[in-house]
Amino acid sequence: MIKIYSVLLISLFLGLVTTQILTEKCLSCLRQHKEGTEDCRMTWTDTFCGKYVMSKGFWEAGGYRGLSFEACASDDDCAADTMKIFFRRFGERCAKQLNKETYQLTCADYIRLHNGGADGCSRSDTLADSKSIEGCMSY
């Protein structure tokens, strides 16, 4: 029984940490950085939609929210909820890759997850995104 309560408390704590990091300012910086539109665009590997330029794979890993991928990506609330779920799901992995505790993750770390997927925090090609978000968050 104690084990169940411990898992529940840790899960709630991680959820609160993610919610605190994904403030309206962080979400605004993510939207500005991504420069998305309501439209979808297809590449050879995936489809990307909405202001957050969410991929279908990201949406799937974020729990299949909304009526469809396209509908969720074009709805700010659904897209933000999907990102929170994705970040909660992979935040611990990101923290380990950055040698941090989960509560130490910043908005700049979460953009690395957004752009690089589950292992985005260990990929050097996501560092420029992180710097861009840090600049936006400092205003």
Side-chain angles (χ1 to χ4, degrees):
M1 190 68 136
I2 292 174
K3 197 176 215 180
I4 292 172
Y5 286 127
S6 297
V7 170
L8 180 62
L9 286 174
I10 290 169
S11 297
L12 288 172
F13 175 74
L14 291 177
L16 288 173
V17 168
T18 304
T19 302
Q20 290 171 348
I21 295 300
L22 287 176
T23 62
E24 185 53 43
K25 180 158 180 81
C26 178
L27 291 171
S28 175
C29 287
L30 289 170
R31 284 190 301 269
Q32 290 173 41
H33 177 74
K34 298 307 286 184
E35 296 179 355
T37 65
E38 297 298 324
D39 299 328
C40 294
R41 63 180 167 81
M42 296 177 72
T43 67
W44 289 103
T45 58
D46 213 335
T47 301
F48 299 88
C49 298
K51 294 178 184 175
Y52 296 105
V53 191
M54 186 184 305
S55 71
K56 190 168 186 178
F58 188 98
W59 173 75
E60 290 169 353
Y64 296 90
R65 309 243 338 134
L67 297 174
S68 69
F69 162 59
E70 292 82 1
C72 183
S74 66
D75 177 87
D76 284 349
D77 291 333
C78 186
D81 287 346
T82 298
M83 290 194 315
K84 288 174 186 176
I85 292 167
F86 184 92
F87 295 154
R88 225 176 276 136
R89 182 174 177 192
F90 296 106
E92 187 175 346
R93 182 186 295 186
C94 176
K96 285 180 183 175
Q97 292 167 352
L98 297 174
N99 295 317
K100 292 182 173 185
E101 296 295 325
T102 306
Y103 70 88
Q104 295 174 309
L105 292 175
T106 66
C107 186
D109 297 326
Y110 284 115
I111 190 68
R112 295 184 72 185
L113 266 179
H114 183 283
N115 289 358
D119 290 316
C121 293
S122 65
R123 294 177 45 182
S124 61
D125 62 337
T126 62
L127 285 171
D129 301 316
S130 179
K131 296 293 181 202
S132 174
I133 293 296
E134 284 176 355
C136 179
M137 291 295 290
S138 67
Y139 289 116

